[in-house]
Amino acid sequence: MPDELLRPTIGAGVDMSVRPCRLMSQAYVAFFGGVIGSTIIASLNARRLGVDAAKRRLILLIGAGGLVAVIAVSSLLNGDDDLASGLGVGIRVVAILTCLAQLRLQRPMDRAFQLRGTDYGSLWGPGTAATIGGAVAEALILLIAARVL
C-alpha cells in the first residue's frame, strides 16, 4: 500500500508496454544522425513517455528550426574553403543544441517514468535506423540546398 501512494499520478494513463529510451542516449543519435534523426527519436520517445500533443508538436517545430539552422550554417561555411573544414563541427553543434531543447520538453514525463521503477527500452534498433536515415536525408537536403543557394 505505501508503494502505491508514492507512485506518481502524472502520466498514469500512459501505455507502459512500450518503454521509452533514456534521454541522454538521444544525444548519440543527434551527433551521428543530425537534426533529422534526433527529431525522429525525440518525437517517438515523447509519444512513448506520454508527453502531451502540444509539446510533441513543439519538438517537431524545434527540429524544423534546427534543420533551417543546419542549412544556414552549411550555406555560410560551404563557400569559403578555410571555413569549410568547420562545417561538420557546426552542423553537429546545431544538432546537439536542438537535441538538448527537445530533451527539455521530455524531462518532466521522463522523471515520472523513472519514479515508476520500470526499465528503459533499447535504442539500438530505432536509434540506428534514425541515425542512418537522418544522416542520409540531411546530406541530401544539404546537397540540394548547396545547388539552389
Side-chain angles (χ1 to χ4, degrees), residues 99-117:
C99 178
L100 290 174
Q102 292 167 335
L103 291 179
R104 186 165 176 84
L105 294 172
Q106 298 175 59
R107 189 167 295 135
M109 292 303 286
D110 184 67
R111 286 185 182 150
F113 177 80
Q114 289 174 357
L115 290 174
R116 285 191 187 87

Side-chain angles (χ1 to χ4, degrees), residues 3-75:
D3 288 339
E4 293 173 8
L5 295 175
L6 295 175
R7 293 192 182 185
T9 57
I10 183 171
V14 177
D15 180 18
M16 297 304 284
S17 65
V18 182
R19 297 176 300 164
C21 63
R22 294 185 190 279
L23 291 186
M24 289 316 294
S25 298
Q26 295 177 39
Y28 294 110
V29 177
F31 185 80
F32 293 109
V35 173
I36 295 174
S38 173
T39 301
I40 290 169
I41 291 299
S43 178
L44 176 70
N45 200 58
R47 188 170 37 90
R48 288 180 176 180
L49 283 170
V51 174
D52 64 278
K55 287 184 180 177
R56 288 195 317 256
R57 284 191 298 271
L58 188 55
I59 286 172
L60 294 175
L61 186 62
I62 290 169
L67 185 59
V68 169
V70 164
I71 292 170
V73 166
S74 174
S75 66

Side-chain angles (χ1 to χ4, degrees), residues 86-141:
L87 178 61
V89 174
I91 288 173
R92 283 182 173 76
V93 167
V94 170
I96 294 295
L97 291 174
T98 301
C99 178
L100 290 174
Q102 292 167 335
L103 291 179
R104 186 165 176 84
L105 294 172
Q106 298 175 59
R107 189 167 295 135
M109 292 303 286
D110 184 67
R111 286 185 182 150
F113 177 80
Q114 289 174 357
L115 290 174
R116 285 191 187 87
T118 308
D119 290 332
Y120 285 99
S122 175
L123 188 61
W124 279 104
T128 302
T131 299
I132 293 169
V136 168
E138 196 167 298
L140 289 174
I141 289 170

